[in-house]
Amino acid sequence: MAEKHRVRFEPVGIEIDVAEDTTILRAAAEQGVMLMHGCKEGQCAACKSFILDGDDVEHDRYSTFALPDYEKEEGFTLLCRAHAYEDLTIELLNYDEEMIQSGLPIQEAEAEVVANDPVTHDLRHLVVRLDRELKFFPGQYLDFEVPGTGETRSFSMANTSARDGLLEFVIKVYPDGLFSRFLATEVAVGDRLRVTGPFGVFTLRDNPGADLVFVGGGAGMAPILSLLRSMAERGLDRKAVFYYGARRRHDLCFEAELRALEEKLPNFRYVPALSEPGDDGWDGEAGLITDVLRRAASVPGLRPGPGAPPPRPPKDGGLDLTGADAYVCGPPPMVEAALELLPALGVADKRVFYDKFTTTGEG
């Protein structure tokens, strides 16, 4: 059995025991401590922290974009890749006091494939049924084992709870992706897959007086759809708008459900935008989704997409994000652009929550 060491997190004063063969992030999750994280693969930097005391730490492979060599030399670390070989004191640079001790137990389970259907040319709607109950917060994700490889890939749930043991996922298919190729060419109804989780902190925070803005692209649809479905189930009447970016009209998905959510949630609007509308007869928003968001916040009114109800402009005539909570999910370039833009539009840095969908092997 691997030797264990004591790791203390400041400024929250929480201590855990970490085995040498387990990353600090995984050990925390197993003990119900929900530290901020994203990809768990050393690419997104969401779990970056600083080592205050102790230096015997080894890291699994990671991207130097997430942790440059000079930062590592200064004492920074990525908790998702770090192994402790002595007692440590670590300063959390990014943490959520509401959530840090609300972690759900990590479980392993088998899942039977119920459906594996394309919803666009490169997005799949995967539905599985678990062999045991698994609790999770809307917006979290599971790790899927890729059979015969020893590798795992992470995907967010699109539903809000495992009713009848069912879980839904929206997964982008990459031509050379390990799980993508497996999903597109081999996975059939009735197949069984191994999953582990839940993971992730992309969950709806309790802040009743704040407006909500969701910004998504690609498979970032899944966790945002989970949050919106949760709002509808709970009857949350917070003012909310979802900006979803796609390339062409055939890249949009779940349109009917999102329009139906506008009826269930009177203060919710869905605003899709196409970066390459071409000759599709599109009369909705056009451009990169962050450019659409920037225009909405700086010019009077919003031009609604097809079938959308007239917008309800705030008092100043444009989209007012002052004091809002923002949730951003999708490919890294979109997320990075949104993280730069949203504070300029009035969203406090600490009220921007994001999930960056990195692809394994980047960097």
Side-chain angles (χ1 to χ4, degrees):
M1 183 174 292
E3 186 176 351
K4 292 185 177 181
H5 303 282
R6 198 71 172 164
V7 176
R8 180 179 176 86
F9 300 110
E10 297 292 1
V12 294
I14 294 173
E15 295 186 359
I16 63 170
D17 291 319
V18 181
E20 292 179 353
D21 60 357
T22 303
T23 66
I24 296 173
L25 180 70
R26 177 58 183 256
E30 290 176 350
Q31 295 169 63
V33 178
M34 190 180 288
L35 303 178
M36 297 298 284
H37 64 280
C39 67
K40 303 200 320 302
E41 296 175 351
Q43 297 186 46
C44 73
C47 66
K48 185 183 291 183
S49 301
F50 187 78
I51 301 173
L52 294 171
D53 187 43
D55 56 16
D56 197 355
V57 178
E58 297 292 333
H59 291 83
D60 295 331
R61 185 173 178 268
Y62 62 88
S63 167
T64 53
F65 290 106
L67 182 66
D69 290 339
Y70 74 89
E71 286 192 350
K72 184 181 177 185
E73 291 172 4
E74 291 173 357
F76 290 91
T77 182
L78 298 176
L79 299 181
C80 70
R81 310 306 278 172
H83 295 260
Y85 287 89
E86 65 174 335
D87 291 351
L88 303 172
T89 301
I90 292 175
E91 180 184 8
L92 300 175
L93 305 180
N94 186 19
Y95 63 96
D96 189 324
E97 292 189 57
E98 289 180 37
M99 299 189 60
I100 198 164
Q101 290 187 306
S102 65
L104 295 171
I106 304 301
Q107 299 183 51
E108 295 183 358
E110 277 205 350
E112 180 183 355
V113 176
V114 174
N116 176 17
D117 302 314
V119 288
T120 71
H121 75 286
D122 63 354
L123 290 178
R124 289 265 175 163
H125 183 214
L126 176 68
V127 182
V128 301
R129 178 179 287 111
L130 299 181
D131 63 356
R132 65 180 65 181
E133 182 183 11
L134 186 145
K135 293 183 178 180
F136 64 93
F137 297 124
Q140 289 193 298
Y141 66 85
L142 294 183
D143 284 350
F144 280 74
E145 289 185 16
V146 186
T149 68
E151 297 279 341
T152 63
R153 296 295 184 267
S154 304
F155 303 105
S156 296
M157 279 75 79
N159 53 317
T160 60
S161 64
R163 292 176 180 166
D164 302 319
L166 293 177
L167 294 176
E168 296 179 54
F169 303 85
V170 182
I171 299 173
K172 183 174 177 63
V173 174
Y174 294 93
D176 299 318
L178 181 63
F179 190 89
S180 296
R181 186 170 60 248
F182 170 65
L183 181 67
T185 62
E186 297 184 43
V187 175
V189 172
D191 287 352
R192 300 186 71 82
L193 304 171
R194 296 286 303 174
V195 298
T196 305
F199 300 102
V201 293
F202 191 73
T203 58
L204 196 65
R205 274 50 169 197
D206 186 25
N207 193 10
D211 293 348
L212 291 163
V213 58
F214 300 95
V215 185
M221 171 65 73
I224 293 177
L225 188 58
S226 178
L227 296 182
L228 292 171
R229 287 170 166 176
S230 174
M231 288 177 62
E233 289 176 6
R234 296 162 60 190
L236 295 183
D237 196 28
R238 293 169 66 177
K239 186 175 181 180
V241 58
F242 177 20
Y243 289 89
Y244 182 75
R247 185 168 295 176
R248 301 292 295 270
R249 193 167 197 158
H250 65 254
D251 295 314
L252 296 174
C253 56
F254 297 93
E255 292 275 282
E257 180 175 357
L258 288 162
R259 293 304 180 197
L261 283 170
E262 289 182 315
E263 298 299 319
K264 293 179 183 178
L265 297 167
N267 285 315
F268 167 66
R269 284 189 301 114
Y270 167 56
V271 182
L274 303 183
S275 61
E276 299 176 12
D279 56 0
D280 290 338
W282 177 254
D283 62 354
E285 294 290 343
L288 296 176
I289 197 64
T290 45
D291 291 338
V292 172
L293 180 59
R294 181 184 290 108
R295 289 199 303 268
S298 60
V299 300
L302 275 173
R303 183 163 49 126
R312 293 171 295 280
K315 288 180 285 188
D316 64 0
L319 181 68
D320 185 1
L321 297 183
T322 304
D325 283 358
Y327 293 81
V328 185
C329 189
M334 185 216 77
V335 173
E336 293 292 347
L339 293 181
E340 182 178 347
L341 172 63
L342 286 163
L345 301 183
V347 183
D349 287 331
K350 291 186 176 181
R351 304 308 298 182
V352 180
F353 310 103
Y354 66 94
D355 209 345
K356 196 183 298 183
F357 279 14
T358 57
T359 54
T360 300
E362 285 184 348

PDB file of all heavy atoms in Angstrom, residues 129-144:
ATOM      1  N   ARG A 129     -27.549   3.668 -19.214  1.00  0.00           N
ATOM      2  CA  ARG A 129     -28.261   3.313 -17.981  1.00  0.00           C
ATOM      3  C   ARG A 129     -27.256   2.691 -17.015  1.00  0.00           C
ATOM      4  O   ARG A 129     -26.582   1.717 -17.347  1.00  0.00           O
ATOM      5  CB  ARG A 129     -29.398   2.333 -18.260  1.00  0.00           C
ATOM      6  CG  ARG A 129     -30.142   1.902 -16.982  1.00  0.00           C
ATOM      7  CD  ARG A 129     -31.291   0.952 -17.258  1.00  0.00           C
ATOM      8  NE  ARG A 129     -32.427   1.670 -17.869  1.00  0.00           N
ATOM      9  CZ  ARG A 129     -32.829   1.528 -19.109  1.00  0.00           C
ATOM     10  NH1 ARG A 129     -32.169   0.715 -19.930  1.00  0.00           N
ATOM     11  NH2 ARG A 129     -33.872   2.196 -19.573  1.00  0.00           N
ATOM     12  N   LEU A 130     -27.166   3.273 -15.807  1.00  0.00           N
ATOM     13  CA  LEU A 130     -26.218   2.797 -14.815  1.00  0.00           C
ATOM     14  C   LEU A 130     -26.741   1.563 -14.088  1.00  0.00           C
ATOM     15  O   LEU A 130     -27.957   1.362 -13.966  1.00  0.00           O
ATOM     16  CB  LEU A 130     -25.931   3.891 -13.787  1.00  0.00           C
ATOM     17  CG  LEU A 130     -25.312   5.190 -14.313  1.00  0.00           C
ATOM     18  CD1 LEU A 130     -25.079   6.145 -13.162  1.00  0.00           C
ATOM     19  CD2 LEU A 130     -24.010   4.911 -15.038  1.00  0.00           C
ATOM     20  N   ASP A 131     -25.804   0.772 -13.576  1.00  0.00           N
ATOM     21  CA  ASP A 131     -26.193  -0.420 -12.821  1.00  0.00           C
ATOM     22  C   ASP A 131     -26.366  -0.111 -11.338  1.00  0.00           C
ATOM     23  O   ASP A 131     -26.654  -1.017 -10.549  1.00  0.00           O
ATOM     24  CB  ASP A 131     -25.165  -1.544 -13.015  1.00  0.00           C
ATOM     25  CG  ASP A 131     -23.781  -1.181 -12.474  1.00  0.00           C
ATOM     26  OD1 ASP A 131     -23.594  -0.033 -12.019  1.00  0.00           O
ATOM     27  OD2 ASP A 131     -22.888  -2.048 -12.507  1.00  0.00           O
ATOM     28  N   ARG A 132     -26.179   1.145 -10.928  1.00  0.00           N
ATOM     29  CA  ARG A 132     -26.355   1.538  -9.534  1.00  0.00           C
ATOM     30  C   ARG A 132     -26.698   3.023  -9.483  1.00  0.00           C
ATOM     31  O   ARG A 132     -26.499   3.750 -10.457  1.00  0.00           O
ATOM     32  CB  ARG A 132     -25.081   1.284  -8.726  1.00  0.00           C
ATOM     33  CG  ARG A 132     -23.885   2.143  -9.150  1.00  0.00           C
ATOM     34  CD  ARG A 132     -22.662   1.851  -8.320  1.00  0.00           C
ATOM     35  NE  ARG A 132     -22.188   0.482  -8.534  1.00  0.00           N
ATOM     36  CZ  ARG A 132     -21.146  -0.036  -7.912  1.00  0.00           C
ATOM     37  NH1 ARG A 132     -20.501   0.690  -7.003  1.00  0.00           N
ATOM     38  NH2 ARG A 132     -20.743  -1.260  -8.184  1.00  0.00           N
ATOM     39  N   GLU A 133     -27.222   3.457  -8.343  1.00  0.00           N
ATOM     40  CA  GLU A 133     -27.572   4.870  -8.195  1.00  0.00           C
ATOM     41  C   GLU A 133     -26.299   5.717  -8.111  1.00  0.00           C
ATOM     42  O   GLU A 133     -25.339   5.350  -7.443  1.00  0.00           O
ATOM     43  CB  GLU A 133     -28.403   5.090  -6.931  1.00  0.00           C
ATOM     44  CG  GLU A 133     -28.834   6.535  -6.736  1.00  0.00           C
ATOM     45  CD  GLU A 133     -29.603   6.764  -5.454  1.00  0.00           C
ATOM     46  OE1 GLU A 133     -29.625   5.844  -4.599  1.00  0.00           O
ATOM     47  OE2 GLU A 133     -30.169   7.848  -5.292  1.00  0.00           O
ATOM     48  N   LEU A 134     -26.294   6.827  -8.802  1.00  0.00           N
ATOM     49  CA  LEU A 134     -25.176   7.749  -8.760  1.00  0.00           C
ATOM     50  C   LEU A 134     -25.722   9.165  -8.602  1.00  0.00           C
ATOM     51  O   LEU A 134     -26.471   9.638  -9.451  1.00  0.00           O
ATOM     52  CB  LEU A 134     -24.317   7.640 -10.021  1.00  0.00           C
ATOM     53  CG  LEU A 134     -23.029   8.460 -10.031  1.00  0.00           C
ATOM     54  CD1 LEU A 134     -21.915   7.732 -10.774  1.00  0.00           C
ATOM     55  CD2 LEU A 134     -23.235   9.833 -10.681  1.00  0.00           C
ATOM     56  N   LYS A 135     -25.362   9.816  -7.512  1.00  0.00           N
ATOM     57  CA  LYS A 135     -25.806  11.185  -7.289  1.00  0.00           C
ATOM     58  C   LYS A 135     -24.786  12.156  -7.882  1.00  0.00           C
ATOM     59  O   LYS A 135     -23.576  11.933  -7.808  1.00  0.00           O
ATOM     60  CB  LYS A 135     -25.974  11.444  -5.789  1.00  0.00           C
ATOM     61  CG  LYS A 135     -27.104  10.650  -5.152  1.00  0.00           C
ATOM     62  CD  LYS A 135     -27.264  11.004  -3.677  1.00  0.00           C
ATOM     63  CE  LYS A 135     -28.421  10.232  -3.058  1.00  0.00           C
ATOM     64  NZ  LYS A 135     -28.595  10.550  -1.613  1.00  0.00           N
ATOM     65  N   PHE A 136     -25.287  13.222  -8.462  1.00  0.00           N
ATOM     66  CA  PHE A 136     -24.405  14.258  -9.003  1.00  0.00           C
ATOM     67  C   PHE A 136     -25.147  15.581  -9.000  1.00  0.00           C
ATOM     68  O   PHE A 136     -26.375  15.633  -8.904  1.00  0.00           O
ATOM     69  CB  PHE A 136     -23.941  13.901 -10.416  1.00  0.00           C
ATOM     70  CG  PHE A 136     -25.045  13.831 -11.438  1.00  0.00           C
ATOM     71  CD1 PHE A 136     -25.383  14.946 -12.205  1.00  0.00           C
ATOM     72  CD2 PHE A 136     -25.741  12.659 -11.651  1.00  0.00           C
ATOM     73  CE1 PHE A 136     -26.403  14.892 -13.144  1.00  0.00           C
ATOM     74  CE2 PHE A 136     -26.765  12.586 -12.592  1.00  0.00           C
ATOM     75  CZ  PHE A 136     -27.094  13.700 -13.341  1.00  0.00           C
ATOM     76  N   PHE A 137     -24.389  16.658  -9.098  1.00  0.00           N
ATOM     77  CA  PHE A 137     -24.968  17.982  -9.237  1.00  0.00           C
ATOM     78  C   PHE A 137     -25.094  18.299 -10.729  1.00  0.00           C
ATOM     79  O   PHE A 137     -24.179  17.981 -11.507  1.00  0.00           O
ATOM     80  CB  PHE A 137     -24.093  19.044  -8.571  1.00  0.00           C
ATOM     81  CG  PHE A 137     -23.942  18.873  -7.088  1.00  0.00           C
ATOM     82  CD1 PHE A 137     -22.684  18.762  -6.515  1.00  0.00           C
ATOM     83  CD2 PHE A 137     -25.048  18.841  -6.251  1.00  0.00           C
ATOM     84  CE1 PHE A 137     -22.524  18.612  -5.151  1.00  0.00           C
ATOM     85  CE2 PHE A 137     -24.905  18.693  -4.887  1.00  0.00           C
ATOM     86  CZ  PHE A 137     -23.641  18.582  -4.330  1.00  0.00           C
ATOM     87  N   PRO A 138     -26.211  18.932 -11.164  1.00  0.00           N
ATOM     88  CA  PRO A 138     -26.294  19.356 -12.567  1.00  0.00           C
ATOM     89  C   PRO A 138     -25.064  20.184 -12.950  1.00  0.00           C
ATOM     90  O   PRO A 138     -24.656  21.087 -12.224  1.00  0.00           O
ATOM     91  CB  PRO A 138     -27.569  20.203 -12.586  1.00  0.00           C
ATOM     92  CG  PRO A 138     -28.420  19.615 -11.504  1.00  0.00           C
ATOM     93  CD  PRO A 138     -27.447  19.250 -10.404  1.00  0.00           C
ATOM     94  N   GLY A 139     -24.482  19.842 -14.099  1.00  0.00           N
ATOM     95  CA  GLY A 139     -23.272  20.519 -14.563  1.00  0.00           C
ATOM     96  C   GLY A 139     -22.009  19.714 -14.361  1.00  0.00           C
ATOM     97  O   GLY A 139     -20.955  20.071 -14.895  1.00  0.00           O
ATOM     98  N   GLN A 140     -22.080  18.595 -13.611  1.00  0.00           N
ATOM     99  CA  GLN A 140     -20.884  17.784 -13.376  1.00  0.00           C
ATOM    100  C   GLN A 140     -20.657  16.791 -14.516  1.00  0.00           C
ATOM    101  O   GLN A 140     -21.449  16.688 -15.447  1.00  0.00           O
ATOM    102  CB  GLN A 140     -21.009  17.052 -12.037  1.00  0.00           C
ATOM    103  CG  GLN A 140     -20.901  17.971 -10.830  1.00  0.00           C
ATOM    104  CD  GLN A 140     -20.714  17.201  -9.535  1.00  0.00           C
ATOM    105  OE1 GLN A 140     -21.566  16.424  -9.132  1.00  0.00           O
ATOM    106  NE2 GLN A 140     -19.585  17.425  -8.874  1.00  0.00           N
ATOM    107  N   TYR A 141     -19.555  16.039 -14.423  1.00  0.00           N
ATOM    108  CA  TYR A 141     -19.205  15.112 -15.495  1.00  0.00           C
ATOM    109  C   TYR A 141     -18.702  13.777 -14.944  1.00  0.00           C
ATOM    110  O   TYR A 141     -18.399  13.638 -13.753  1.00  0.00           O
ATOM    111  CB  TYR A 141     -18.176  15.727 -16.434  1.00  0.00           C
ATOM    112  CG  TYR A 141     -16.805  15.996 -15.836  1.00  0.00           C
ATOM    113  CD1 TYR A 141     -15.828  14.998 -15.788  1.00  0.00           C
ATOM    114  CD2 TYR A 141     -16.456  17.255 -15.365  1.00  0.00           C
ATOM    115  CE1 TYR A 141     -14.572  15.237 -15.265  1.00  0.00           C
ATOM    116  CE2 TYR A 141     -15.197  17.512 -14.842  1.00  0.00           C
ATOM    117  CZ  TYR A 141     -14.257  16.499 -14.796  1.00  0.00           C
ATOM    118  OH  TYR A 141     -12.998  16.754 -14.274  1.00  0.00           O
ATOM    119  N   LEU A 142     -18.635  12.785 -15.833  1.00  0.00           N
ATOM    120  CA  LEU A 142     -18.097  11.464 -15.531  1.00  0.00           C
ATOM    121  C   LEU A 142     -16.888  11.187 -16.411  1.00  0.00           C
ATOM    122  O   LEU A 142     -16.748  11.747 -17.504  1.00  0.00           O
ATOM    123  CB  LEU A 142     -19.134  10.366 -15.795  1.00  0.00           C
ATOM    124  CG  LEU A 142     -20.400  10.313 -14.942  1.00  0.00           C
ATOM    125  CD1 LEU A 142     -21.219   9.089 -15.349  1.00  0.00           C
ATOM    126  CD2 LEU A 142     -20.075  10.270 -13.466  1.00  0.00           C
ATOM    127  N   ASP A 143     -16.018  10.294 -15.938  1.00  0.00           N
ATOM    128  CA  ASP A 143     -14.938   9.753 -16.750  1.00  0.00           C
ATOM    129  C   ASP A 143     -15.382   8.427 -17.352  1.00  0.00           C
ATOM    130  O   ASP A 143     -15.897   7.558 -16.641  1.00  0.00           O
ATOM    131  CB  ASP A 143     -13.681   9.521 -15.906  1.00  0.00           C
ATOM    132  CG  ASP A 143     -12.942  10.801 -15.584  1.00  0.00           C
ATOM    133  OD1 ASP A 143     -13.285  11.847 -16.166  1.00  0.00           O
ATOM    134  OD2 ASP A 143     -12.016  10.755 -14.751  1.00  0.00           O
ATOM    135  N   PHE A 144     -15.191   8.271 -18.658  1.00  0.00           N
ATOM    136  CA  PHE A 144     -15.466   7.013 -19.360  1.00  0.00           C
ATOM    137  C   PHE A 144     -14.149   6.301 -19.654  1.00  0.00           C
ATOM    138  O   PHE A 144     -13.205   6.920 -20.166  1.00  0.00           O
ATOM    139  CB  PHE A 144     -16.172   7.279 -20.698  1.00  0.00           C
ATOM    140  CG  PHE A 144     -17.642   7.528 -20.585  1.00  0.00           C
ATOM    141  CD1 PHE A 144     -18.133   8.729 -20.088  1.00  0.00           C
ATOM    142  CD2 PHE A 144     -18.546   6.565 -20.998  1.00  0.00           C
ATOM    143  CE1 PHE A 144     -19.489   8.965 -19.994  1.00  0.00           C
ATOM    144  CE2 PHE A 144     -19.921   6.787 -20.915  1.00  0.00           C
ATOM    145  CZ  PHE A 144     -20.391   7.995 -20.408  1.00  0.00           C
TER     146      PHE A 144
END
